[in-house]
Amino acid sequence: MTIYALSSGPGIAGVAVVRISGPDTEKILKTLIKGKFPEPRKATLKKIYNIKDNILIDENNFLSAFKRIISTQKKIVIIPHRNPDGAALGSALALKHFLEAKKHKVNIVSPNDYPTFLKWLPGESDIIKFSKTPSIARDKINNAELIFGLDFNSLSRIQDLSEIVNKSKVDKIMLDHHESPEFFANLN
């Protein structure tokens, strides 16, 4: 028996993790992908083609939508989860620097403060902490043209900010890796 397992969540996503195992794995992969055959037991990024008509599946995927959304200059807010760790803050700051290089105006609004050992991160001093300056944080979110939810899968993970984000009518993009996401964003 050959087993197919989709390991990523439902909805529009930038990457789908598909595991295939069993005696027909090679035959199936040769039908679905083009080019070099991936090494066994090694994560590999490949485009997948429809076996019926050989057309690329999901050409209008997450990355295409992402590029379209950020193609014009915007006021953007990036929000990591409450009690952000190094992964959440590092990702938020990296995304901020990327978007600023694309000429966007970007603010990071953290639900609360974080450990001092993370204060060395480049750009950390510009992070707005809702728990310390709620009116400034609220103003940035309410005036944003795009909101990124970073490293959380449910609005409950940003606690006091959840209602503000939920009420916002602007595009929202969720960048996350956790299971069972709550689809609060336009793009996940």
Side-chain angles (χ1 to χ4, degrees):
M1 174 192 307
T2 300
I3 299 170
Y4 305 73
L6 180 62
S7 299
S8 35
I12 298 173
V15 176
V17 177
V18 180
R19 295 178 298 165
I20 304 172
S21 61
D24 292 327
T25 299
E26 186 173 345
K27 177 181 162 187
I28 291 164
L29 282 175
K30 284 181 178 176
T31 305
L32 293 173
I33 64 173
K34 295 180 181 180
K36 187 178 175 189
F37 194 76
E39 294 179 41
R41 296 182 176 27
K42 182 176 178 187
T44 306
L45 181 62
K46 290 287 186 182
K47 292 181 179 179
I48 299 176
Y49 295 82
N50 188 317
I51 60 172
K52 292 180 183 174
D53 54 20
N54 207 28
I55 294 175
L56 181 63
I57 294 174
D58 200 12
E59 271 189 286
N60 188 18
N61 60 20
F62 177 92
L63 295 177
S64 297
F66 180 83
K67 286 179 186 177
R68 179 183 43 77
I69 290 170
I70 68 163
S71 66
T72 57
Q73 291 181 4
K74 291 181 173 52
K75 289 186 273 183
I76 299 173
V77 168
I78 301 168
I79 303 173
H81 58 76
R82 182 169 173 76
N83 300 322
D85 53 13
L89 286 185
S91 299
L93 287 162
L95 180 59
K96 178 182 191 290
H97 296 310
F98 168 78
L99 293 167
E100 286 177 338
K102 302 279 185 198
K103 307 296 184 211
H104 296 281
K105 289 186 170 200
V106 185
N107 288 285
I108 298 173
V109 176
S110 176
N112 62 331
D113 206 354
Y114 34 85
T116 55
F117 67 81
L118 296 171
K119 305 279 180 176
W120 67 270
L121 293 165
E124 177 281 325
S125 61
D126 296 328
I127 296 175
I128 299 162
K129 290 121 185 135
F130 179 79
S131 60
K132 291 186 176 186
T133 55
S135 61
I136 293 171
R138 195 175 280 111
D139 182 59
K140 294 296 183 187
I141 295 168
N142 289 334
N143 289 304
E145 297 168 298
L146 175 62
I147 298 172
F148 280 90
L150 200 63
D151 198 31
F152 63 89
N153 63 350
S154 169
L155 288 176
S156 65
R157 301 253 348 255
I158 57 172
Q159 293 185 325
D160 296 335
L161 293 175
S162 63
E163 187 177 332
I164 303 164
V165 170
N166 196 39
K167 284 182 180 178
S168 175
K169 302 295 182 209
V170 303
D171 281 334
K172 298 175 193 91
I173 299 176
M174 176 175 61
L175 299 176
D176 184 56
H177 61 96
H178 297 95
E179 291 181 14
S180 304
E182 170 188 292
F183 294 104
F184 63 86
N186 307 67
L187 195 59
N188 300 289

